[in-house]
Structures are given as structure tokens and as C-alpha cells.
Amino acid sequence: MPTISKIQSFGLPVGSVIQTQTDFDADAVLHTNTDSSQPETILSASITPTNANHKILVMGLIHVGVLYSSRSGTLHYIGCRLFRDSTEIGRAANNDTMTTVHGADASGGRVAHSVMAGGTAMSSKPTFIPFHFVDSPNTTSAITYNVKGFIEQYNGQYTMIVNGSGYRYNNDEQVLASSNLTLMEIVA
């Protein structure tokens, strides 16, 4: 992962970009038996902040879909979870607000950074899941950010295909896309 730019932050205004790290993936890959409790790493990039007070802007998108032959039942949603090293970031701490909204216990629900609605029509078509988060890692040590994808079906699991169609159409409906992660160190 190349360093696109890296300069000293002395005297730079708040909001200035100090360095940028990226990960790009355009290969189709299968991950079996995934759901939101067992997400699979799709993208990963490391960055070493030059100042512990700086922020890290984490942004990009993943392309995921369902391997058609693994599909049965209803696809509920596809999503991603963000991690700084082993710590999950950019998600709700718990489902307390969902319990309030629905007026009943929602503690068994899942939490994620971002999701896309499912449905049978999506079962073999890839979709993109965007993500965007400003992190405060408070360190000058190297840190690794991981973007993990999943497919959620109540009481079951699907095979997730990354960057490709879930069915071998062998025509214009088949597509190979890419997934991208960008990390930017920002003066705070």
C-alpha cells in the first residue's frame, strides 16, 4: 500500500491532509458461511499517524453480493463493519434506541456500520456498501483498519461474493467491480 503523500504537519491549518493510504481490490472472491456475527475482511490498510491528536478519515465502498447457488429463503441485508486493529468503530454501542422505537426488547438485533436492504431480487446481483467514519485513534503507532463484509439472513448463512455477480450469466448481466478503502490523516 503506497504512501500517496506524507509531510510534516507543523503549522498546517486544521483539516489539512497529512498522508493518505489506500487499498484497492478488483478480484472476485467467495466467503462461505458469513453473517453479521462472522464478517469477512474485504479491505485492509495501515497508517502511522504523525501526531496523536490527528484524526483518521476512513472512507470507501465494498461491492458484495450472494452466490446464487447458496441462496435459499430471504436475504435480509448486506452490510459492513469497520475495525481499527481489533476494535470495532463507527457503529452503535447497543440496540437501546431500537428498543425505544419499537416499544419492545430489541437487544437481540445486530449492529453494523452501514447496510443495504436485501430481498430476493438482489440475490445474484452485486450491490455497493459505502462507509465513512472519522476516527480518533490517539496514537502515533501503526494502526490497521479493516473493512469486513457480511450477508444477513435470519437463521441461516449465505456465501458472499466480493466484487462480482452471484450467478454465472455469461452475458452483460455479469459484472466484475472493485472495492476501495482510503485512509487520510487529518490535522485536528
Side-chain angles (χ1 to χ4, degrees):
M1 290 166 238
T3 298
I4 294 175
S5 65
K6 188 171 184 177
I7 59 174
Q8 294 298 320
S9 62
F10 304 108
L12 291 175
V14 170
S16 297
V17 176
I18 302 302
Q19 63 173 310
T20 303
Q21 300 291 332
T22 61
D23 187 16
F24 171 82
D25 182 25
D27 295 329
V29 178
L30 291 176
H31 295 283
T32 58
N33 300 323
T34 180
D35 67 14
S36 59
S37 68
Q38 298 175 324
E40 292 286 345
T41 299
I42 296 175
L43 296 167
S44 183
S46 296
I47 193 166
T48 304
T50 60
N51 185 307
N53 295 319
H54 290 175
K55 307 290 186 193
I56 304 296
L57 175 59
V58 181
M59 62 183 176
L61 58 87
I62 58 172
H63 280 93
V64 293
V66 177
L67 183 65
Y68 188 77
S69 60
S70 76
R71 184 188 73 76
S72 65
T74 301
L75 169 65
H76 295 294
Y77 52 90
I78 298 173
C80 74
R81 295 169 63 186
L82 305 178
F83 291 82
R84 176 194 341 105
D85 294 324
S86 61
T87 302
E88 189 165 3
I89 59 173
R91 72 171 189 99
N94 57 50
N95 282 325
D96 288 350
T97 56
M98 290 301 288
T99 296
T100 301
V101 165
H102 293 289
D105 181 24
S107 61
R110 304 279 173 93
V111 293
H113 176 75
S114 55
V115 296
M116 179 70 68
T120 306
M122 288 182 59
S123 61
S124 64
K125 310 286 194 236
T127 189
F128 72 94
I129 308 295
F131 53 89
H132 184 270
F133 184 70
V134 177
D135 189 29
S136 301
N138 298 314
T139 186
T140 56
S141 298
I143 46 181
T144 300
Y145 288 89
N146 295 298
V147 182
K148 298 184 178 190
F150 63 85
I151 297 170
E152 190 64 47
Q153 174 194 13
Y154 177 70
N155 217 10
Q157 294 178 322
Y158 284 121
T159 297
M160 177 175 63
I161 185 167
V162 178
N163 296 332
S165 301
Y167 185 78
R168 190 191 63 79
Y169 292 102
N170 200 25
N171 63 28
D172 291 347
E173 290 185 72
Q174 185 154 340
V175 65
L176 178 64
S178 64
S179 296
N180 303 276
L181 166 62
T182 301
L183 305 175
M184 292 182 177
E185 181 182 359
I186 309 292
V187 176

